[in-house]
C-alpha cells in the first residue's frame, strides 16, 4: 500500500505534533461539559432559569457544530496548522470574554464565539493524524485522540466543580487563557506545515446547514417554555422544528445535486463503516452531553453536595477511561471494531439505565459510583475505535472533509442532547412537582439543598431524564454491531495462509 508523501517526510515528527494538538483539543472539549457543574451558580448569580441557562452550553455546541463542515475543508485549502492556530486564538480570547460578562445574554453571545474558535480547531486534529501517521500507526494515534475526547468530557465537570467552589464560575472560562497561550506556542513550534489542496466552498450549503440546525435545535429546546405552542405571531414551536427538518432535507438534496464541490461529500458515506461510525458517534455525543445536566443538578439540589464534591462523583469514570486508553489502543488495529465499540456502547447504555434506577434522595453514594465506574469502561472502549473506524479509509485529499463530517455529527448529537435533556427535565419537573416555582426555575433550586418535601419529586425527574440518553445509545450500539472488518484485518488470514505455504 502506497504511503502518501506527506506521511513520510523525514522532518515531520508526528507524535510531538499530535501531543501539541491534543492540548488544544482537550481544552475545547472540556468546555463542552464544564458548564454543567456551574449551572446552579450561573443561575443564581445571573438570575436566569433552566431553559435559558442551558443555552450557555447549547449556543457553544451549535456554533461549534455548524461550521465544522467548512472548517474541515478550509483546513485542507489553507493548511491545518494555520486554521488551528487561528481558532485557538479566537477560542482563548472568547474565553476571557465569557469570564468578564455580567448577564446571561452576553455570556451566551461570548460562548458563540468560543464555539466558532473550537470549530476551526477540531477537524485539524483528525486531519493531521490521517496525513502524518502511516496506516500501521494510525490506530494508536487515533486512540490518543479518542482517549482525549473521552477523558475531556469527564474532566470538565470535575475541573468545573473545583473552580466554581474555589474561585467562582467565571474561572471555568479564565482558566483557558494560560492553557490557550501554551497550546498556541506548542502548536506553532511542533505542528508541521502540510501541503494544501485546492477546494471550492459551497456557500449555499453553509447557509442551509446553519439555518436548518438552528431552527431544529431552537424549536426543540424552547418547546417546553412556550408549551409547544405559539412563540410570537405566526411563529410556533412546531413550525420551527418542521422548518428545520425541511431545510436540512433541502441541504442534503443540494449536496447530492451540486455539480461543483459540495460542502458534505456524500461519496464518503459509500464506505459502510464511515456511515455507521457517524451514526454511533452522534448517539455518544448526545448521551454524554445529556447525562451531565440531570446528574449534576441532582447531586447539588437533592444531596446538597458542593460543585466540587458533586463533580468528584465522576472521578471513577475519568480514571478508568484514561487507564483503559493504552490497552484499547493496542486492540484497535488487531480486533474487528464491532466487538470493541459494541462493548463500549453497550456498557454506556447499561450504565445510564442503571443510574436512572439508583438515583434517590437518600441513596448511598457508593451505589451511584458503580454505574459511574461502568461509564468509565464504556468511554474507554467507545471513542478510539469509532474514530479509527471512521477515518481509516479516508483519501488524503479528503482528510479534512471527512474529519469535518465526523466531528459535525458528534457535535450535532451533543447539541440535540443538550436541547432534548433541557426539555425533558423541565417536563418531568412540571409533572412531578407541579407546585414548584416555575416547574424548575432558578428559584426552585438555586442557593443550596432543596426542602425535604420536594426532594423525591426532583430525584424522580432527574432519574427519568437519564432514560433518554440510554435509549439513544441503543441506536449507536446497533450501528457499531453492523461494522465490517477493516481491509487490513481481512487480509491477515490470507497473508498467514500464504506464509504457511
Amino acid at each position: 500500500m502506497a504511503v502518501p508523501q506527506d506521511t513520510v517526510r523525514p522532518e515531520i515528527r508526528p507524535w510531538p505534533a499530535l501531543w501539541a494538538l491534543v492540548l488544544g483539543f482537550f481544552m475545547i472539549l472540556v468546555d463542552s461539559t464544564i458548564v454543567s457543574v456551574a449551572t446552579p451558580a450561573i443561575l443564581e448569580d445571573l438570575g436566569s432559569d433552566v431553559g435559558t441557562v442551558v443555552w450557555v452550553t447549547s449556543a457553544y455546541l451549535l456554533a461549534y457544530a455548524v461550521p465544522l463542515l467548512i472548517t474541515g475543508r478550509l483546513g485542507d485549502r489553507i493548511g491545518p496548522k494555520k486554521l488551528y492556530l487561528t481558532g485557538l486564538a479566537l477560542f482563548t480570547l472568547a474565553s476571557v470574554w465569557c469570564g468578564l460578562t455580567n448577564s446571561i445574554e452576553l455570556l451566551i453571545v461570548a460562548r458563540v464565539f468560543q464555539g466558532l474558535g473550537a470549530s476551526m480547531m477540531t477537524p485539524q486534529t483528525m486531519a493531521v493524524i490521517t496525513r502524518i501517521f502511516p496506516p500501521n500507526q494510525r490506530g494508536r494515534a487515533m486512540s490518543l485522540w479518542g482517549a482525549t475526547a473521552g477523558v475531556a468530557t469527564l474532566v470538565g465537570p470535575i475541573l468545573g466543580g473545583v473552580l466554581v467552589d474555589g474561585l467562582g464560575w467565571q474561572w471555568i472560562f479564565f482558566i483557558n487563557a494560560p492553557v490557550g497561550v501554551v497550546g498556541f506556542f506548542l502548536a506553532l513550534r511542533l505542528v508541521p506545515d502540510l501541503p494544501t489542496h485546492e477546494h471550492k466552498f459551497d456557500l449555499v450549503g453553509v447557509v442551509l446547514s446553519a439555518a436548518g440546525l438552528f431552527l431544529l435545535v431552537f424549536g426543540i429546546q424552547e418547546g417546553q417554555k412556550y408549551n409547544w405552542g405559539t412563540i410570537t405571531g405566526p411563529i410556533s414551536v412546531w413550525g420551527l422544528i418542521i422548518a428545520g427538518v425541511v431545510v436540512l432535507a433541502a441541504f442534503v438534496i443540494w449536496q447530492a445535486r451540486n455539480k461543483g464541490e459540495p460542502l458534505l461529500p456524500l461519496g464518503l458515506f459509500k464506505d459502510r463503516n464511515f456511515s455507521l461510525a457517524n451514526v454511533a458517534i452522534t448517539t455518544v455525543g448526545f448521551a454524554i452531553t445529556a447525562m451531565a445536566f440531570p446528574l449534576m443538578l441532582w447531586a447539588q439540589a437533592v444531596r446538597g453536595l458542593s460543585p466540587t464534591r458533586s463533580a468528584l462523583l465522576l472521578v471513577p469514570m475519568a480514571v478508568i477511561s484514561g487507564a483503559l486508553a493504552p490497552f484499547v489502543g493496542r486492540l484497535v488495529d488487531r480486533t474487528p471494531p464491532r466487538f470493541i465499540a459494541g462493548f463500549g456502547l453497550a456498557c454506556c447504555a447499561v450504565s445510564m439505565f442503571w443510574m436512572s434506577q439508583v438515583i434517590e434522595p437518600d441513596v448511598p453514594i457508593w451505589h451511584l459510583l458503580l454505574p459511574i465506574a461502568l461509564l468509565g469502561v464504556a468511554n474507554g472502549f467507545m471513542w478510539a475505535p469509532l474514530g479509527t473506524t471512521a477515518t481509516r479509509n479516508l483519501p488524503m485529499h479528503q482528510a479534512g472533509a471527512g474529519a469535518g463530517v465526523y466531528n459535525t455529527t458528534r457535535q450535532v448529537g451533543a447539541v440535540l442532547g443538550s436541547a432534548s435533556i433541557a426539555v425533558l427535565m423541565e417536563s418531568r419537573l412540571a409533572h412531578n412537582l407541579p407546585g414548584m416555582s416555575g416547574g424548575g426555575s432558578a428559584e426552585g433550586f438555586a442557593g443550596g439543598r432543596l426542602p425535604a418535601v420536594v426532594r423525591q419529586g426532583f430525584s424522580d425527574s432527574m432519574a427519568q431524564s437519564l432514560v433518554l440518553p440510554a435509549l439513544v445509545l441503543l441506536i449507536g450500539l446497533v450501528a457499531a454491531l453492523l461494522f465490517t472488518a477493516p481491509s487490513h484485518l481481512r487480509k491477515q488470514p490470507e497473508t498467514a495462509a500464504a506464509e504457511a505455504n
Side-chain angles (χ1 to χ4, degrees):
M1 179 177 178
V3 179
Q5 182 63 31
D6 50 328
T7 68
V8 295
R9 284 164 45 193
E11 71 272 18
I12 292 180
R13 297 160 58 216
W15 286 103
L18 179 59
W19 279 106
L21 292 171
V22 157
L23 177 62
F25 183 51
F26 181 85
M27 181 174 67
I28 61 180
L29 285 178
V30 163
D31 263 59
S32 298
T33 57
I34 198 170
V35 172
S36 62
V37 75
T39 296
I42 295 173
L43 280 168
E44 184 178 16
D45 191 36
L46 299 183
S48 185
D49 56 66
V50 171
T52 302
V53 81
V54 169
W55 271 101
V56 175
T57 294
S58 290
Y60 172 79
L61 294 175
L62 191 60
Y64 186 173
V66 170
L68 280 171
L69 293 174
I70 194 169
T71 57
R73 188 66 56 80
L74 192 61
D76 283 341
R77 180 170 181 175
I78 69 173
K81 179 178 179 177
K82 290 179 182 177
L83 196 62
Y84 178 88
L85 291 173
T86 303
L88 181 55
L90 176 59
F91 183 91
T92 304
L93 292 172
S95 296
V96 176
W97 181 12
C98 287
L100 295 174
T101 57
N102 57 9
S103 74
I104 193 69
E105 293 80 13
L106 284 177
L107 179 58
I108 291 171
V109 172
R111 288 281 278 172
V112 168
F113 282 90
Q114 255 195 324
L116 291 173
S119 74
M120 296 182 192
M121 297 164 64
T122 300
Q124 316 320 319
T125 60
M126 286 185 70
V128 167
I129 290 172
T130 304
R131 296 180 63 184
I132 70 175
F133 282 90
N136 62 347
Q137 293 184 23
R138 215 169 282 162
R140 283 189 294 152
M142 193 59 70
S143 72
L144 174 60
W145 184 90
T148 301
V151 173
T153 54
L154 310 178
V155 167
I158 298 172
L159 178 62
V162 173
L163 292 172
V164 170
D165 275 347
L167 298 169
W169 65 264
Q170 293 86 349
W171 282 88
I172 67 175
F173 302 112
F174 287 147
I175 192 67
N176 290 334
V179 178
V181 171
V182 172
F184 186 93
F185 284 104
L186 284 176
L188 187 65
R189 179 179 178 83
L190 298 174
V191 177
D193 289 305
L194 297 173
T196 58
H197 305 280
E198 283 299 320
H199 289 292
K200 298 177 181 178
F201 293 109
D202 179 11
L203 296 180
V204 174
V206 172
V207 172
L208 289 174
S209 63
L213 278 174
F214 178 80
L215 290 169
L216 182 63
V217 173
F218 187 87
I220 292 173
Q221 187 157 299
E222 297 296 291
Q224 183 71 17
K225 179 178 179 179
Y226 293 101
N227 199 28
W228 301 97
T230 300
I231 296 176
T232 180
I235 302 174
S236 68
V237 171
W238 283 109
L240 289 179
I241 293 173
I242 293 170
V245 172
V246 170
V247 172
L248 288 175
F251 166 71
V252 174
I253 294 171
W254 168 249
Q255 298 305 286
R257 295 184 176 181
N258 188 349
K259 300 299 184 183
E261 193 167 0
L263 180 64
L264 176 63
L266 297 179
L268 291 174
F269 291 95
K270 293 179 181 178
D271 182 277
R272 175 174 172 174
N273 281 359
F274 181 82
S275 299
L276 292 171
N278 275 276
V279 172
I281 200 63
T282 302
T283 67
V284 171
F286 184 106
I288 295 297
T289 302
M291 175 273 299
F293 285 103
L295 182 61
M296 291 296 104
L297 288 174
W298 171 82
Q300 295 179 53
V302 176
R303 297 306 297 263
L305 300 181
S306 67
T308 299
R309 292 181 65 198
S310 60
L312 288 175
L313 292 173
L314 301 178
V315 166
M317 183 165 50
V319 171
I320 292 172
S321 178
L324 285 173
F327 168 72
V328 175
R330 288 191 294 270
L331 284 178
V332 165
D333 286 327
R334 305 184 215 161
T335 309
R338 71 160 68 94
F339 300 126
I340 309 176
F343 176 74
L345 283 154
C347 288
C348 198
V350 169
S351 69
M352 292 191 188
F353 274 121
W354 191 354
M355 272 193 279
S356 74
Q357 298 304 305
V358 300
I359 283 183
E360 292 287 344
D362 299 313
V363 63
I365 290 298
W366 71 269
H367 285 189
L368 186 62
L369 293 180
L370 294 176
I372 289 175
L374 182 60
L375 195 54
V377 175
N379 275 276
F381 279 86
M382 288 190 305
W383 294 91
L386 290 178
T388 305
T389 302
T391 59
R392 187 177 293 278
N393 298 321
L394 290 181
M396 290 300 109
H397 70 282
Q398 289 188 323
V405 172
Y406 182 79
N407 283 285
T408 298
T409 58
R410 176 174 60 81
Q411 285 305 119
V412 167
V415 170
L416 294 177
S418 173
S420 300
I421 203 68
V423 171
L424 190 56
M425 285 192 302
E426 291 195 351
S427 172
R428 292 292 82 204
L429 285 168
H431 179 268
N432 293 319
L433 295 170
M436 187 175 178
S437 175
S441 64
E443 294 79 10
F445 58 81
R449 194 176 185 185
L450 285 169
V453 69
V454 296
R455 289 176 198 161
Q456 185 64 56
F458 196 95
S459 293
D460 291 344
S461 300
M462 298 302 104
Q464 291 160 9
S465 298
L466 284 170
V467 175
L468 175 64
L471 290 173
V472 169
L473 281 165
L474 296 180
I475 301 172
L477 174 59
V478 172
L481 293 176
L482 293 174
F483 282 150
T484 59
S487 57
H488 75 288
L489 290 179
R490 290 197 298 267
K491 292 175 183 177
Q492 284 178 358
E494 300 170 9
T495 304
E499 290 175 353
N501 292 330

